Amino acid sequence: MNTLKIDKLALTLVFAIGFVFQPSPAGRAFQANSAPQLNGPEIWLAFYDGPDKQADIGNAVAVDGAGNTYVAGTSDGAISYDKNIVLIKYSPSGSAIWTRIYNGPGRPDGSSIDQAVAIAVDDQGYVYLAGNSESETYKDIIVLRYRPDGTPDWEQRYNGPATNPLNQVENADAMLLTDDALYVSGTSYDDNGAILVVLKYSKTGQLQWERHYAAEGTSHLAIGEDGSIYQVGGVFSQPLGVYHFVLIKYQPDGTRAWDKLYRKDDPFANGAAGVQVDSQGNIIVGGAISRQANVGTATDAALIKFDPDGNTIWERRIVDPNQQNFLDVFGFSVDSAGSSYLFTTGLYIFKYDSSGNQAWMIHSDELTVPSNSPTVMKCGPDQSLYISAAYGVMKFGPAGNVLLSYQYDIDSSEGFLPVDFAISPDASIAITGRDFQPPPNSEDMLTLKYPVTPGLSLTIDDAITSERNRSTD
């Protein structure tokens, strides 16, 4: 495996097979002198420190067909209850083209917290954000669109059906963009309790329909090639005292086609970590299922495949290889061939083919996942698998072979923590998150873009440290 080493003193990146990288004069991006030989035009990193010099974090990232990178994040104000949405467009070489800050109306008590959770960009360069924003109706789901030049185009706020002000709390969880519409999934309340919400907007900002379902917990969303919408959430069973996940199908016009409460009579809990649809219209849910163990209960990772009518095709339960009776799910994804992947506790990665047969299981010590750290799993167009966790990003081939490994070294006071990544059309990776800095400094948003070169092992910490020092001089 080729190794890219970073010389902290010379600030020169030396590629083991002869490529040389030099910092740009501005110190904001690393340019590849041998770019045509790499699968990606450049490697760069960029910090963002908001106007109030407080904590800043990149929450979501997208890349357009021209290689521009868009980052949606949160920038803290001077007081703890003041947070703004920040949107930055970077050029393919890592220069900031424009930056926009959204500061919502805020609550009457002065609290004004706005947070982005999802981003998408269409073929015309319009940028869409979904998130949460405080207002006089407490906390709303917010959807924003920006024009290609960064001009705000439209804004839509959603306040749920609850009449009790204490229940006027909405949360956006996911957003999906199609050729002609935008779908937002989240949670809200009516006067009877928690509900899941699906909102469909036209690309010009009109709310076309909204749908509710009595359930709770983080929701996940998927869309089939026929325009059907699938949502998963959790339902609490009063008689049994446990949660089960529910899978709901909506037709393109918003009509609910069916809903399936999984294992509704099972006295043990189950939950969904995600939902995706394959090219045949089948639905795959990744999650976890509890069961009776010799002592207490055990938790197995699980994959369940449903047909378009909601019938179970197969279920696979994966027992903890360490025999610790606990295998929770950090990440879930499905590739273009219909194969499913799970990333679990114990740092195991499992692949199952479209028929439910286990293709492989591998163990990775390089993807450590501290508690409450973000983990993102996505499949590339070549049926490769990308996983981003606290200490790095890795790419695996269809056979489970490691194609690349980018590692970070963080501790409790300093280092880069990735939150989201996007795969560019040229297969390069744009990653965003937060950069912890030692006191008295705070956290800055940090975005990096890497070329994808097979067999590349990269440790980038010294480059981040050097760039951080220059950016604060």
Side-chain angles (χ1 to χ4, degrees):
M1 176 176 285
N2 301 316
T3 301
L4 183 63
K5 297 181 179 180
I6 299 174
D7 185 336
K8 186 173 182 178
L9 297 178
L11 294 179
T12 300
L13 308 181
V14 182
F15 195 25
I17 60 175
F19 300 134
V20 177
F21 295 80
Q22 295 284 356
S24 67
R28 283 294 181 182
F30 293 104
Q31 304 291 339
N33 294 336
S34 302
Q37 302 177 57
L38 294 177
N39 189 13
E42 56 274 311
I43 178 172
W44 54 261
L45 59 87
F47 285 91
Y48 173 78
D49 189 10
D52 290 308
K53 307 299 180 183
Q54 301 297 315
D56 307 286
I57 179 172
N59 296 325
V61 60
V63 181
D64 66 18
N68 299 302
T69 300
Y70 304 79
V71 178
T74 302
S75 180
D76 285 6
I79 52 179
S80 61
Y81 46 86
D82 180 20
K83 298 177 183 290
N84 299 322
I85 293 173
V86 59
L87 172 63
I88 307 174
K89 178 179 180 179
Y90 292 102
S91 72
S93 61
S95 300
I97 298 174
W98 47 255
T99 302
R100 299 293 179 264
I101 294 177
Y102 176 83
N103 185 5
R107 287 164 35 191
D109 63 5
S111 180
S112 180
I113 297 178
D114 308 298
Q115 296 173 304
V117 301
I119 186 171
V121 56
D122 66 19
D123 292 340
Q124 286 72 47
Y126 287 89
V127 187
Y128 303 80
L129 302 183
N132 309 304
S133 177
E134 291 187 328
S135 71
E136 62 180 9
T137 54
Y138 196 69
K139 185 180 179 183
D140 305 330
I141 291 174
I142 188 169
V143 184
L144 305 169
R145 184 168 98 155
Y146 290 82
R147 297 174 184 172
D149 64 358
T151 303
D153 196 24
W154 53 258
E155 168 187 336
Q156 289 288 357
R157 306 181 74 88
Y158 174 77
N159 180 37
T163 58
N164 184 342
L166 296 178
N167 286 338
Q168 292 179 339
V169 180
E170 283 68 49
N171 282 289
D173 295 322
M175 177 180 68
L176 292 175
L177 179 66
T178 66
D179 290 339
D180 59 359
L182 184 71
Y183 298 84
V184 178
S185 177
T187 56
S188 181
Y189 288 86
D190 61 18
D191 290 335
N192 296 314
I195 58 174
L196 301 182
V197 175
V198 179
L199 308 172
K200 180 180 180 180
Y201 293 94
S202 69
K203 293 179 72 173
T204 54
Q206 286 75 39
L207 178 62
Q208 298 185 329
W209 50 256
E210 66 176 89
R211 296 296 180 265
H212 307 157
Y213 189 94
E216 57 188 295
T218 302
S219 63
H220 303 274
L221 195 66
I223 299 179
E225 293 183 359
D226 64 351
S228 297
I229 301 100
Y230 300 89
Q231 185 183 42
V232 291
V235 174
F236 183 73
S237 173
Q238 290 286 357
L240 298 173
V242 297
Y243 281 93
H244 297 128
F245 79 77
V246 61
L247 172 62
I248 311 157
K249 178 178 181 177
Y250 295 100
Q251 295 174 356
D253 64 0
T255 301
R256 188 193 302 168
W258 48 258
D259 56 290
K260 185 179 182 75
L261 186 59
Y262 193 66
R263 290 179 169 265
K264 63 180 180 180
D265 298 321
D266 193 332
F268 298 98
N270 60 69
V275 59
Q276 294 198 28
V277 185
D278 67 17
S279 60
Q280 306 301 313
N282 300 307
I283 309 100
I284 303 98
V285 175
I289 301 175
S290 297
R291 59 177 169 84
Q292 183 66 50
N294 292 333
V295 179
T297 59
T299 298
D300 302 331
L303 289 165
I304 307 99
K305 185 172 184 176
F306 302 90
D307 68 18
D309 295 322
N311 302 305
T312 301
I313 299 175
W314 49 255
E315 173 194 298
R316 298 293 181 267
R317 299 177 68 145
I318 308 168
V319 178
D320 185 356
N322 285 330
Q323 298 182 340
Q324 298 297 314
N325 285 335
F326 184 79
L327 202 64
D328 204 358
V329 175
F330 293 137
F332 161 71
S333 191
V334 177
D335 67 20
S336 58
S339 296
S340 303
Y341 302 83
L342 290 174
F343 179 40
T344 70
T345 51
L347 306 181
Y348 291 99
I349 306 166
F350 300 88
K351 177 180 179 177
Y352 282 75
D353 65 22
S354 59
S355 298
N357 303 307
Q358 183 174 305
W360 46 257
M361 178 194 75
I362 57 179
H363 181 263
S364 175
D365 289 325
E366 298 180 59
L367 287 170
T368 304
V369 182
S371 60
N372 300 320
S373 67
T375 303
V376 183
M377 175 185 280
K378 299 179 182 180
C379 290
D382 56 353
Q383 299 174 27
S384 57
L385 176 69
Y386 298 77
I387 303 177
S388 169
Y391 295 127
V393 177
M394 298 185 72
K395 179 181 179 181
F396 301 87
N401 51 311
V402 178
L403 297 180
L404 60 86
S405 174
Y406 298 151
Q407 300 301 313
Y408 314 103
D409 181 18
I410 69 171
D411 56 32
S412 60
S413 63
E414 183 176 0
F416 175 54
L417 182 65
V419 175
D420 190 28
F421 71 89
I423 305 168
S424 301
D426 64 357
S428 59
I429 308 173
I431 308 168
T432 193
R434 63 174 68 186
D435 177 52
F436 294 95
Q437 300 182 28
N441 298 314
S442 184
E443 304 167 18
D444 287 346
M445 179 191 301
L446 175 57
T447 304
L448 310 94
K449 191 171 185 182
Y450 294 139
V452 176
T453 303
L456 179 67
S457 178
L458 172 69
T459 302
I460 196 76
D461 303 288
D462 289 339
I464 292 175
T465 301
S466 300
E467 178 66 11
R468 180 198 301 147
N469 292 339
R470 285 199 302 275
S471 67
T472 57
D473 288 345

